[in-house]
């Protein structure tokens, strides 16, 4: 909201108070001033002056040499404009001026002639986007006056960011109350004599119950619609509101002055001798002031007359009853509507108006009579009309004789103990009274009745804030609370376990050279479809198609990052990239998304870990020493991850075996250069080379290795977070080694060799590893040679040569039998 | 045999030994390589070497003279061996020096470095914030990103049609289901789950329908809640002041400005004085009694719970601490950006 300093000073005497002090006071009372706009910014050194002479510049045809006077000084000015003559009053930017367009005025020599300032155009003063020639002011303008004063541009505007609880501050009066309270000055708001009941030919009817508890109407005749007087126009324009006509302008003025939206109808258009407010009928259509029409749902408040609806209550007037140039009789409406209904209506029809904004925050229920009296007074003043009828329609709850306000009782020492501050009784009482609360002390209790317009003050905590903000938050000291009881043991907390494992996984990947990315949780259907993926969780009201679907996989985002990074990369080297992300992906957990209870959403979020890798093995090194990463480098990362997390029961299997579990995700991979990761009985995900089809479609510059795992599966079978690793005794006895070279069919995977060793070799085998694989002419078509080194060791004795020999024999036999291997 | 001839033999043999010795020493000092030196050793001191050869004539010397010859021969052997040893170590050290000279490399050539990785600044900042509050005994908990309107709004005292909902443009996923607009949605879950006293932090991603130079539709927040008996607003101030000093340096000061969040009363914005001015870093306040009511909190030992809550944007803190000027960089995942935070 915008409030002008000048308008404020009509309500509070601000002599000796600068706009900056006002802004500070407001901000520290919780009404944040975001910016202070000085209308005269750039006009500081610009004054009015008269041209005494205009002569041709001796050196330049298109320049003039003007002698101007400010009344006290006469100056020579070189000017390029053509529209002026001697005697004109112009805007003179003096030396030192910094114009709104950024131009700095200095003493200068223009084509050999000295110039002591500049005559300004409206464009240079940013009064208009474009202008032809310099600004010529009316001939009766006083000389030597600041231009800002002459143009009335010497106000200061406060741009306020108001919080939703302070509906009472959505007006000049509301802000003025705070300013008056802060500077301890009286508040003088213009008051009109209260209207008294007068027979109304148009009867007001309340048919919406407590949703519209009061509606005051005044009928004015003899109105002449026309342009507003200058003071009114300027006032509205000063806060950025456009002048329309005298009557409409007055209704707008009231909205900004009192914060209570009001409406003026052309009384001739109100049919059937009545007006009122009721709940709409489902399906009825209502034309609005802005030219649009709404179809009612049966849940909004409408203003009706004897025949039809004439307004969307609290939001916008009807297009069928608006004030026009020909209007002579006016019906004024000042009413109160239920905030939540107005809010629903405004958002349902996307009609957020100045009126709905205020009504949904609540208006002063006791202020209706005052507002309509002021409104009627001003309308008569500017349009020449006369009040001929006035009716107050209200429910018992709004009977002006019986207004009740809530009473808040609080222990007198409550404020200080809750705030941890020491405020005196006098300070507290004076703080509350300064905002028009009634304060009484009854024994140890304080009884506070807030003013009627403070709908946000209902409980003692609300008053605490008032006391604190008025006395000053800076009066509250800094203390450290004491712990009552020890913290819960962390390791028992599943949230701790999840967080720790996530941290651990991230740390391993960082140690392996991966950089963490953070992508949006949402993406586009189009991008997902590039990967044959789709999402079942959609944003109903997306900002754009680009971010419409919740990501079912992190890989599309990571791959996009890799592509964009490659595109940024210049030079002939391939950009080495290692990226990872760990965050939830989205799927349905029910048939569709919807809240079926306070906590069920139908959406399943699964912690997911994805990473991608491409480029060189080393970050730095000579060409001859570098090589591109391949599947086995990538597999190493996966195994490091599993080891670090202590994942139990992890094993790899062919992608094709787990295609069903992996779903459409399995088609992201090159089936021959990828593997599925099983953990326990679950498939955790897959990793390997990206599918060549995708590599082509995405125009990747280097082979990209991709991995994605359901992190919750990995976490569920990993070492307990924070668990201490257990030591196993170091053997005192020497190990022995045997190497075996097996000639097996090309189809035999090396893990089967290890499996045989592990199965048969117990308990002597301490470890085993594949150390060579050969395929080629020497072993023959369809065959390969696998070399495995087995280490034997016992924990309790030195092994005898014969023992190891016997075990080697046993292993050889098993290789032959189980793998159809020949031992070379 | 005559005495004199015996004497002659003695002298001539001693002379011969001296000659062998002189020659040997000469050869040793002239040997240019270890193998040449070895050859000298064999030539002089070997079984068939020259010294042995001389000693073979020992038979022609009288028994009483023999020890003299023997003594002289031993002196010769010792001298030659000593010379050999000295020369050997000299040659070896020459060789070593040669080796060092020839094996010299250009140490300025590129190393073979492994790739280094980095945590995203959002993660780094989150961890740092968690570390600071952990010192005061806060636990960490998390909640779902897609949540019900109940937890996102009602549970933080923003009932349907509350104007405060305007503060946060909400993404909807289905009837009653939203992408949480703040991590405050986790407050009530934590309160219901853990009861009170409670000290908990809730970090995570949040979502608002706003996308321009200074807003992204997804960003991160961390929410903190401290509920206990007799918690005062001055405690809120003390805790946040401690946080500010840990994050922004021991000279950092905070100030509170009144503000409004439906789930706190009184509410405030918190500014930190850092470098040249006051920067808004978070929102906070004393927890609204409505929340205790919703959580079903009962009095304990005659004490009602009171508490405070605070919430801050992690991106904002990260940008301040790392001098990052453009929010959008945090979501572009440009390696040139990411790698600056290794």
């Amino acid at each position: 909201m915008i409030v002008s300093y000048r308008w404020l000073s009509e309500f509070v005497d601000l002599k000796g108070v600068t706009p900056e002090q006002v802004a500070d006071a407001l901000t520290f009372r919780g009404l944040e001033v975001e910016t202070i706009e000085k209308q005269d910014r750039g006009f500081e050194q610009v004054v009015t002056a008269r041209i005494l002479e205009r002569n041709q510049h001796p050196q330049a045809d298109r320049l003039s040499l003007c002698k101007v006077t400010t009344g006290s000084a006469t100056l020579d000015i070189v000017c390029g404009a053509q529209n002026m003559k001697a005697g004109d009053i112009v805007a003179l930017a003096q030396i030192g001026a910094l114009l709104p367009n950024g131009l700095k005025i200095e003493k200068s020599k223009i084509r050999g002639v000295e110039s002591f300032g500049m005559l300004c155009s409206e464009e240079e003063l940013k009064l208009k986007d474009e202008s032809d020639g310099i600004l010529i002011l009316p001939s009766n303008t006083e000389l030597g006056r600041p231009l800002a004063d002459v143009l009335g541009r010497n106000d200061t505007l406060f741009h306020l960011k108001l919080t939703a609880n302070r509906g009472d501050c959505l007006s000049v009066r509301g802000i003025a109350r705070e300013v008056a309270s802060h500077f301890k000055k009286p508040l003088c708001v213009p008051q009109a004599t209260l209207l008294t009941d007068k027979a109304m030919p148009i009867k007001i009817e309340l048919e919406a119950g407590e949703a519209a508890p009061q509606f005051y109407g005044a009928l004015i005749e003899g109105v002449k619609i026309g342009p507003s007087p200058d003071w009114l126009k300027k006032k509205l324009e000063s806060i950025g509101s456009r002048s329309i006509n005298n009557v409409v302008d007055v209704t707008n003025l009231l909205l900004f002055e009192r914060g209570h939206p009001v409406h003026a109808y052309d009384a001739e258009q109100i049919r059937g001798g009545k007006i009122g407010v009721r709940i709409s009928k489902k399906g009825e259509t209502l034309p609005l002031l802005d030219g649009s029409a709404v179809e009612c749902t049966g849940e909004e408040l409408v203003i009706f007359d004897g025949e039809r609806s004439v307004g969307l209550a609290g939001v916008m007037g009807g297009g069928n009853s608006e004030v026009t140039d020909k209007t002579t009789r006016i019906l004024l409406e000042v009413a109160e509507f239920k905030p939540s209904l107005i809010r629903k209506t405004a958002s349902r029809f996307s009609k957020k108006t100045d009126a709905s904004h205020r009504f949904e925050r609540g208006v002063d229920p006791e202020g209706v009579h005052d507002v309509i009296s002021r409104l009627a007074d001003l309308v008569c003043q500017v349009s020449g009309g006369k009040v001929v009828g006035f009716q107050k329609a209200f429910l018992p709850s709004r009977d002006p004789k019986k207004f009740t306000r809530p009473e808040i009782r609080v222990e007198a020492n409550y404020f200080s103990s809750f705030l941890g501050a020491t405020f005196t009784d006098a300070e507290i009482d004076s703080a509350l009274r300064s905002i028009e609360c009634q304060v009484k002390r009854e024994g140890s209790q304080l009884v506070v009745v807030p003013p009627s317009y403070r709908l946000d003050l209902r409980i003692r905590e609300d008053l605490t804030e008032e006391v604190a903000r008025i006395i000053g938050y800076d009066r509250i000291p800094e203390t450290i609370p004491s712990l009552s009881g020890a913290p819960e043991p962390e390791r028992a907390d599943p949230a701790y376990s999840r967080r720790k494992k996530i941290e651990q996984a991230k740390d391993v990947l960082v140690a392996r050279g991966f950089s963490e990315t953070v992508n949006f949780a949402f993406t586009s259907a189009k991008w997902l479809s590039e990967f044959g993926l789709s999402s079942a969780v959609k944003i109903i009201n997306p900002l754009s198609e680009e971010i419409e679907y919740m990501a079912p996989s992190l890989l599309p985002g990571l791959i996009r990052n890799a592509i964009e990074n490659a595109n940024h990369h210049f030079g002939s080297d391939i950009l080495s990239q290692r990226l990872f992300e760990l965050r939830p992906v989205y799927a349905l957990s029910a048939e569709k998304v919807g809240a079926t209870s306070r906590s069920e959403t139908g959406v399943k979020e699964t912690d997911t870990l994805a990473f991608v890798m491409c480029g060189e093995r080393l970050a730095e090194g000579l060409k001859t020493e570098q090589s591109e990463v391949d599947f086995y480098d990538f597999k190493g990362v996966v195994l490091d991850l599993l080891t670090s997390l202590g994942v139990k029961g992890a094993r790899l299997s062919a992608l094709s075996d787990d295609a069903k579990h992996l779903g459409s995700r399995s088609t992201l991979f090159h089936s021959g250069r990828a593997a599925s990761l099983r953990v326990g009985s679950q498939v955790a995900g897959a990793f390997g080379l990206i599918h060549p089809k995708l590599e082509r479609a995405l125009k990747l510059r280097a082979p990209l290795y991709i991995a994605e795992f359901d992190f919750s599966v990995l976490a569920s079978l990993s070492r307990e977070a924070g668990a201490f690793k257990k030591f196993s005794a170091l053997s005192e006895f020497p190990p022995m080694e045997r190497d075996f070279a097996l000639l097996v069919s090309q189809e035999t995977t090396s893990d089967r060799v290890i499996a045989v060793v592990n199965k048969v070799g117990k308990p002597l085998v301490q470890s085993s590893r594949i150390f060579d694989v050969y395929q080629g002419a020497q072993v023959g078509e369809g065959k390969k040679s696998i070399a495995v080194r087995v280490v034997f060791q016992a924990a309790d004795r030195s092994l005898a040569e014969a023992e190891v020999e016997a075990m080697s024999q046993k292993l050889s036999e098993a290789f032959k039998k189980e793998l159809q291997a020949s031992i070379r | 045999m005559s005495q004199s001839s015996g004497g002659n033999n003695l002298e001539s043999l001693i002379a011969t030994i001296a000659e062998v010795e002189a020659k040997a020493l000469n050869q040793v000092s002239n040997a240019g390589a270890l193998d040449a030196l070895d050859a000298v050793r064999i030539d002089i001191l070997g079984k068939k070497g020259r010294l042995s050869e001389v000693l073979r004539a020992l038979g022609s010397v009288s028994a009483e003279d023999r020890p003299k010859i023997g003594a002289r021969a031993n002196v010769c052997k010792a001298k030659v061996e000593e010379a050999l040893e000295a020369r050997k170590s000299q040659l070896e050290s020459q060789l070593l020096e040669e080796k060092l000279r020839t094996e010299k490399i250009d140490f300025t050539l590129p190393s073979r470095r492994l790739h280094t990785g980095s945590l995203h600044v959002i993660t780094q900042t989150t961890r740092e914030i968690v570390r600071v509050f952990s010192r005061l005994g806060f636990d960490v908990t998390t909640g779902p990103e897609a949540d019900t309107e109940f937890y996102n709004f009602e549970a933080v005292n923003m009932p349907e049609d509350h104007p405060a909902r305007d503060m946060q443009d909400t993404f909807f996923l289905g009837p009653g289901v939203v992408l949480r607009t703040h991590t405050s949605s986790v407050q009530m879950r934590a309160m219901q789950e853990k009861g009170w006293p409670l000290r908990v932090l809730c970090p995570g991603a949040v979502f608002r329908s706003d996308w321009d130079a200074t807003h992204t539709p997804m960003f991160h927040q961390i929410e903190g809640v401290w509920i206990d008996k007799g918690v005062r607003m001055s405690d809120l101030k003390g805790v946040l002041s401690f946080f500010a000093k840990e994050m922004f340096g021991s000279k950092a000061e905070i100030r509170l400005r009144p503000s409004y969040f439906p789930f706190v009363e009184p509410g405030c914005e918190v500014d930190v004085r850092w470098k040249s001015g006051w920067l808004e870093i978070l929102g906070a306040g004393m927890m609204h009694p409505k929340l205790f009511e919703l959580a079903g909190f009962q009095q304990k030992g005659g004490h009602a719970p009171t508490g405070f809550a605070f919430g801050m944007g992690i991106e904002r803190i990260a940008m301040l601490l790392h001098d990052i000027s453009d929010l959008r960089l945090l979501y572009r995942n440009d390696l040139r950006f990411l790698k600056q935070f290794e």
Side-chain angles (χ1 to χ4, degrees), chain B residues 141-180:
Chain B
T141 192
T142 49
E145 294 176 351
D147 210 339
T148 58
E149 280 189 280
F150 173 77
Y151 279 111
N152 195 70
F153 292 123
E154 273 102 284
V156 290
N157 200 23
M158 286 165 81
E160 210 189 343
D161 302 318
H162 193 294
R165 288 200 184 185
D166 277 355
M167 289 153 71
Q168 306 171 355
D169 295 319
T170 311
F171 286 123
F172 283 85
L173 296 180
V177 179
V178 300
L179 283 173
R180 65 178 176 201

Side-chain angles (χ1 to χ4, degrees), chain A residues 44 99 120 124 182 264 288 308 353 411 467 502 557 654 667 705 728 777 790:
Chain A
E44 291 91 341
L99 297 184
C120 305
E124 284 153 348
H182 183 84
L288 296 178
R308 60 204 174 140
T353 60
E411 286 300 318
V467 168
I502 287 175
T667 62
Y705 289 87
S728 48
V790 182

Side-chain angles (χ1 to χ4, degrees), chain A residues 27-30 32 163-165 340 343-344 352 360-361 417-420 459 461-462 465 469 473-474 476-485 487 493 495 498-499 503 506-507 510 513-522 537-541 543 546-547 550 561 565 568 576-579 583-584 586 593-595 597-601 603 605 616-622 625, chain B residues 110-120 122-123 127 130 136 139-142 144-148 150-151 160-166 170-177 179 189 194 197 199 205 207 209-211 216-218 220 226 228 232-235 237-239 241 254-260 265-268 280 286 288-289 306 330-336 338-339:
Chain A
T27 296
F28 283 93
R29 288 174 75 94
E32 188 184 348
T163 54
N165 58 329
S340 63
R343 181 175 161 78
K344 263 190 198 152
K352 296 267 176 187
E360 67 183 53
R361 282 158 178 75
S417 67
F418 186 76
L419 295 169
I459 55 173
E461 283 78 5
D462 298 331
E465 174 167 286
R469 78 181 176 94
Y473 277 14
D474 57 340
I476 300 171
E478 290 178 4
T479 57
I480 290 291
S482 53
L483 300 187
S484 81
D493 183 354
R498 173 178 177 232
R499 179 168 64 96
E503 282 184 5
K506 287 183 175 182
D507 290 345
V510 168
F514 285 75
S515 294
E516 186 188 13
T517 65
V518 176
N519 281 289
F520 288 155
F522 21 58
V537 186
K538 181 178 183 299
I539 296 177
I540 295 173
N541 55 336
L543 270 177
E546 227 179 307
I547 53 168
M550 301 312 292
N561 298 150
N565 275 314
H568 285 145
S576 293
Q577 297 196 64
R578 295 169 180 223
L579 303 172
R583 76 170 332 280
Y586 285 74
V593 179
S597 73
R598 281 184 165 182
S599 55
E600 296 299 316
T601 58
V603 178
E605 291 168 36
E616 313 262 42
R617 256 185 201 127
L618 296 171
E620 189 177 290
L622 295 177
E625 298 165 340
Chain B
S111 59
R112 254 165 253 133
R113 293 184 72 181
L114 299 180
H115 292 281
T116 43
S118 54
L119 288 172
H120 198 280
I122 292 175
T123 302
R127 285 190 184 182
V130 167
L136 294 174
D139 293 331
V140 180
T141 192
T142 49
E145 294 176 351
D147 210 339
T148 58
F150 173 77
Y151 279 111
E160 210 189 343
D161 302 318
H162 193 294
R165 288 200 184 185
D166 277 355
T170 311
F171 286 123
F172 283 85
L173 296 180
V177 179
L179 283 173
R189 287 176 181 274
K194 296 164 188 268
R199 284 177 300 275
F207 307 87
S209 179
D210 204 352
W211 199 359
T216 45
M218 176 173 117
H220 294 75
W226 184 310
D228 209 326
R232 303 156 298 172
M233 191 147 174
S234 56
D235 296 330
K237 234 176 144 174
V239 165
S241 175
I254 59 160
R255 75 174 180 196
L256 271 48
R257 275 182 291 117
S259 190
Y260 171 72
E265 189 71 52
C268 58
E280 182 179 322
M286 299 303 289
H288 200 284
T306 58
L330 273 67
Y331 288 92
R332 212 167 277 158
N333 298 313
D334 188 323
L335 268 173
R336 294 169 300 175
L338 300 176
K339 287 201 157 277

Side-chain angles (χ1 to χ4, degrees), chain B residues 1-118:
Chain B
M1 272 189 221
S2 70
Q3 280 289 120
S4 65
S5 88
N8 283 343
N9 270 344
L10 172 69
E11 280 156 26
S12 93
L13 267 176
I14 287 195
T16 310
I17 290 172
E19 209 175 296
V20 165
E21 181 185 287
K23 209 170 171 190
L25 291 177
N26 190 33
Q27 277 179 337
V28 167
S29 63
N30 284 337
L34 285 172
D35 48 354
L37 196 65
D38 209 38
V40 174
R41 188 181 56 78
I42 293 165
D43 182 36
I44 311 294
L45 305 176
K47 272 184 186 159
K48 293 176 181 168
R50 279 198 269 158
L51 192 58
S52 307
E53 198 179 314
V54 176
L55 292 177
R56 267 197 284 281
L58 211 59
S60 65
V61 180
S62 65
E64 69 207 70
D65 283 344
R66 276 179 200 168
K68 293 178 186 160
I69 303 286
R72 181 64 183 89
N74 281 341
V75 169
C76 169
K77 194 181 172 196
K79 272 193 176 173
V80 170
E81 273 176 348
E82 188 188 342
L84 277 168
E85 213 36 59
R87 182 64 181 152
K88 188 181 171 199
S89 88
Q90 196 181 12
L91 283 175
E92 272 174 352
S93 77
Q94 270 173 18
L95 261 180
L96 213 55
E97 258 165 51
E98 177 67 11
K99 182 179 163 76
L100 293 178
R101 199 163 51 245
T102 55
E103 289 182 357
K104 182 181 166 192
I105 58 161
D106 175 2
F107 60 81
T108 65
L109 280 175
S111 59
R112 254 165 253 133
R113 293 184 72 181
L114 299 180
H115 292 281
T116 43
S118 54

